[in-house]
Amino acid sequence: MKLFILGNGFDIAHHIKTEYSDFKRFLENYNPEILESDMPNPIISLKDGKLYCDSKNAANIIWHLIDNAERHISDDIYNENIEWKHVEESMGKLDYSECFDNYFGDWNYEGDCPEYEWKYSLKNQYRSLQIAAAVLQIQDFFSKWVNQIDISEAEIKTDFKNLVTKDDLFINFNYTDILESIYHYNNIWHIHGKKGSKKIIFGHCNIDFDYESYENILYGSSAILKNIHYALLKDVPTIISENNILWEKLKEVSSVYTYGFSYSYVDLPYINKIIKSCPNCKEWYIEEYPSEKEINKYTNYIKKLGFKGNINKFKIAK
């Protein structure tokens, strides 16, 4: 039995609009004023026991945060092609300090005066609550975006279809149903949920939060910003523990194929679990679309995670 691990590159190869830019465009269409305005200063309230600000302002703040993260990532990887793996990683590195730029207007903080320090702290706390009310809606926006993704233009990849037999298994990190609707395959495990399901999972894996920096620079904001950071965390250990039936199935796997999967840091624990769950797997194949440098990096990850078999490339040309 073969195991296919599919990432966002699989959907993109099938002409599905699931790139990072497509999610940004969804937010822009939701609130066209985003492109013409700075980060807003919304009114917040409690709704069903949770912080709330209106969704258009929330979309605006989220867009600006991930747009800033995008530019930082571009600098880090010297590459304008922002892949989905970098989006999730960026969620753990959002620079909330940019939300405070120009927020105070002509506010003059005199640090040696307790009264000014108290007022400054309160202003920072309120701004942090505004950010929380907006950013914590990102899951709703993401789910809405996933549920409107159109797969009608997807076409069968003959080379891929010829690889697959009826007994093969799929671990799909995507949210679309191309495998079911276009290929009519079974044995599909949507590890992060799929279009139409109640739970869509995405997030970062950065457990570190620079509490002291925020407390030093934006006194009074750090506790709330820390809560946002951990609310966006993808709980991979729990996801792994909830899928024991899947890991049991992998005992019969003899070879693994990864297609459009970028081996992002946030998803490496899954690869580790897959390797440990496939004692009879002797062959691992990486689709050759990435650069040779990327393939070498992926190969090193797989070996460091304990795979002892052969690692080769495979090609999907048509």
Side-chain angles (χ1 to χ4, degrees):
M1 179 174 73
K2 296 187 292 294
L3 169 66
F4 290 88
I5 302 172
L6 306 179
N8 192 43
F10 175 81
D11 279 6
I12 293 170
H14 286 77
H15 310 293
I16 307 303
K17 294 183 177 180
T18 56
E19 295 186 76
Y20 172 59
S21 57
D22 295 310
F23 179 53
K24 279 185 66 182
R25 195 170 295 111
F26 171 79
L27 293 174
E28 292 164 9
N29 290 336
Y30 187 85
N31 181 6
E33 296 178 3
I34 284 174
L35 298 174
E36 301 174 358
S37 64
D38 295 325
M39 203 172 292
N41 182 15
I43 296 172
I44 58 175
S45 60
L46 280 175
K47 186 176 182 179
D48 298 325
K50 297 180 180 180
L51 281 173
Y52 175 80
C53 73
D54 71 278
S55 56
K56 286 197 170 184
N57 276 321
N60 195 330
I61 289 175
I62 292 167
W63 186 94
H64 277 91
L65 281 170
I66 62 177
D67 185 61
N68 290 336
E70 174 190 33
R71 285 187 273 108
H72 294 326
I73 293 168
S74 295
D75 292 340
D76 288 345
I77 65 176
Y78 305 100
N79 189 341
E80 293 183 358
N81 180 25
I82 306 300
E83 300 178 28
W84 185 252
K85 66 176 181 178
H86 297 120
V87 179
E88 288 199 304
E89 289 173 4
S90 74
M91 297 305 296
K93 301 177 182 178
L94 295 179
D95 185 1
Y96 296 109
S97 64
E98 298 181 41
C99 297
F100 293 79
D101 291 347
N102 303 319
Y103 171 61
F104 294 111
D106 296 327
W107 170 258
N108 182 22
Y109 169 52
E110 299 179 17
D112 293 332
C113 176
E115 180 182 354
Y116 279 102
E117 183 177 345
W118 174 73
K119 290 181 179 179
Y120 181 73
S121 174
L122 285 180
K123 284 179 174 285
N124 281 337
Q125 287 180 40
Y126 186 76
R127 182 55 169 167
S128 300
L129 289 171
Q130 289 179 319
I131 298 166
V135 172
L136 295 182
Q137 292 186 50
I138 193 170
Q139 184 70 52
D140 292 335
F141 281 114
F142 190 77
S143 296
K144 289 176 182 177
W145 173 64
V146 165
N147 286 325
Q148 57 83 57
I149 292 173
D150 181 12
I151 68 166
S152 62
E153 299 297 320
E155 296 180 357
I156 287 176
K157 294 283 185 180
T158 305
D159 290 343
F160 175 67
K161 186 176 182 179
N162 290 340
L163 275 175
V164 180
T165 67
K166 62 182 180 64
D167 296 322
D168 292 336
L169 177 65
F170 302 87
I171 297 179
N172 195 352
F173 282 79
N174 304 320
Y175 308 98
T176 61
D177 59 351
I178 294 175
L179 291 172
E180 299 95 321
S181 299
I182 306 300
Y183 290 94
H184 307 292
Y185 291 150
N186 298 310
N187 301 325
I188 303 161
W189 209 276
H190 288 271
I191 197 75
H192 290 154
K194 70 171 183 175
K195 182 178 178 178
S197 62
K198 292 182 178 180
K199 190 175 183 182
I200 298 292
I201 300 170
F202 89 116
H204 65 84
C205 65
N206 180 17
I207 62 172
D208 298 319
F209 178 76
D210 196 355
Y211 185 95
E212 290 185 2
S213 291
Y214 281 109
E215 193 63 11
N216 291 334
I217 299 171
L218 297 166
Y219 180 67
S221 70
S222 51
I224 298 168
L225 297 179
K226 182 179 179 180
N227 287 338
I228 301 172
H229 178 83
Y230 287 111
L232 298 177
L233 191 70
K234 183 191 288 185
D235 190 0
V236 174
T238 297
I239 297 169
I240 289 175
S241 68
E242 290 176 346
N243 285 278
N244 286 328
I245 296 175
L246 169 62
W247 314 128
E248 284 295 317
K249 289 177 178 286
L250 301 190
K251 290 179 180 179
E252 301 175 22
V253 168
S254 58
S255 57
V256 172
Y257 288 76
T258 63
Y259 183 5
F261 186 76
S262 56
Y263 293 86
S264 65
Y265 187 69
V266 67
D267 291 327
L268 288 183
Y270 296 113
I271 299 300
N272 181 46
K273 182 64 177 179
I274 289 167
I275 291 171
K276 290 180 178 178
S277 302
C278 297
N280 299 314
C281 181
K282 306 300 181 185
E283 303 287 339
W284 196 290
Y285 296 93
I286 302 171
E287 193 254 330
E288 70 170 23
Y289 173 76
S291 66
E292 198 65 31
K293 181 180 178 181
E294 288 289 292
I295 291 175
N296 289 337
K297 182 171 70 173
Y298 300 165
T299 299
N300 288 332
Y301 286 160
I302 297 164
K303 288 180 177 179
K304 286 180 180 179
L305 291 171
F307 184 70
K308 304 299 184 185
N310 299 316
I311 303 175
N312 298 295
K313 296 183 291 184
F314 73 103
K315 184 175 182 179
I316 302 295
K318 56 182 180 178

